[in-house]
Amino acid sequence: GGGGGGGAAGGATPSLGNIEGLGGDGGSVRQAFRAAVQAELADYYRLIAVLEAQAQVPMASALEAPTKSGGGAHGGGGTYLTLRRLSVWLAEPLRRLRLLAVLVDAAADARGGALLRALHEHAKHGDPATRATVERLLAAAAEPALRMVRAWVIAGELEDPRGEFFVASDPAIGEEDLWRSRYFINDEMRPPFISEAIAADVLRVGKSINFLRRRCDDESWERERAPAAAAAAGRRARRRRR
């Protein structure tokens, strides 16, 4: 297989120890990815708590319980944690932990759109469970990038203090060259699920709105747009709750 499985096979053994480095100054995409990984780990910790509770059941009482209730000898051990049961219950969580370790290693030195590109590469996997896990993490990590797209195409505002967005600006360019040279596409931060054509359209739309606001002193459109934007945000919130 490719993607997550291939990353684990080659090179050094992956480790979840790198998760501590996903926060800090790495930007909002890295922080969102870290939160998603921690949510996946929380499921694992809950399973461990259940298994620990099962391990506290004494073998004798677990074996006697079915007999007392008429289950017979063949029903013995219904609640006792055997090595075979432990192996079965941990098979899927261990596979997911290995995948998380591979993804954390892949994202160790990446940020913004480059991090999304690394996750997207691991989503190209033949195993549906692996693909679903990667896509879930990718969707969570992409939320900050989508907020940047919305701020740029709706308000012409570049909200990217860490340089994570595929639309970048050169602050050295003066206002007189705002339209021609200030804003450009940073291909290193363009995720693969955003084509070059779409990225160019995003650049043009946001640049046009930005130019109207900064060079033409046209703020009236924003007041006119506010009710429609609020209604759209409400619809998105309702869809998420469903």
Side-chain angles (χ1 to χ4, degrees):
T13 302
S15 169
L16 279 171
N18 288 336
I19 189 175
E20 294 302 323
L22 288 177
D25 295 334
S28 56
V29 173
R30 283 175 68 86
Q31 291 171 358
F33 175 54
R34 177 179 179 174
V37 171
Q38 289 176 330
E40 296 284 336
L41 290 177
D43 289 339
Y44 175 73
Y45 295 147
R46 282 191 287 271
L47 173 62
I48 294 300
V50 171
L51 294 178
E52 285 181 342
Q54 291 283 339
Q56 300 305 314
V57 178
M59 179 184 293
S61 62
L63 292 175
E64 290 171 3
T67 304
K68 292 178 181 178
S69 59
H74 294 291
T79 59
Y80 186 68
L81 183 61
T82 65
L83 288 177
R84 179 174 295 179
R85 286 175 178 167
L86 186 64
S87 174
V88 171
W89 287 343
L90 287 179
E92 172 60 20
L94 288 177
R95 181 205 62 79
R96 190 179 303 179
L97 284 178
R98 284 193 292 267
L99 174 60
L100 291 178
V102 169
L103 297 177
V104 168
D105 282 352
D109 299 318
R111 60 185 171 82
L115 189 152
L116 298 179
R117 182 183 299 113
L119 295 181
H120 188 267
E121 285 298 314
H122 285 81
K124 302 173 183 177
H125 202 287
D127 177 29
T130 296
R131 189 168 60 250
T133 300
V134 178
E135 288 176 350
R136 187 164 59 248
L137 292 167
L138 177 59
E143 272 297 319
L146 295 178
R147 287 196 296 268
M148 295 178 199
V149 172
R150 285 194 291 266
W152 178 244
V153 301
I154 292 176
E157 296 174 353
L158 192 57
E159 300 176 353
D160 185 24
R162 303 294 183 187
E164 304 173 87
F165 192 29
F166 60 86
V167 174
S169 68
D170 185 353
I173 302 296
E175 291 289 321
E176 64 278 3
D177 289 325
L178 179 71
W179 176 261
R180 289 192 299 271
S181 308
R182 170 71 70 87
Y183 301 104
F184 58 93
I185 297 292
N186 180 4
D187 273 320
E188 291 184 0
M189 292 297 156
R190 181 177 61 81
F193 48 82
I194 295 181
S195 67
E196 292 183 6
I198 291 177
D201 288 341
V202 170
L203 173 64
R204 279 192 296 269
V205 171
K207 190 167 68 168
S208 300
I209 297 173
N210 182 274
F211 185 82
L212 287 172
R213 294 183 60 188
R214 298 182 62 163
R215 300 297 291 168
C216 303
D217 295 324
D218 185 2
E219 300 285 349
S220 60
W221 63 272
E222 190 168 9
R223 291 190 297 271
E224 295 170 357
R225 176 190 60 85
R235 286 194 296 272
R236 286 194 299 271
R238 287 193 293 273
R239 283 198 296 270
R240 289 194 193 100
R241 285 195 294 270
R242 291 183 192 137

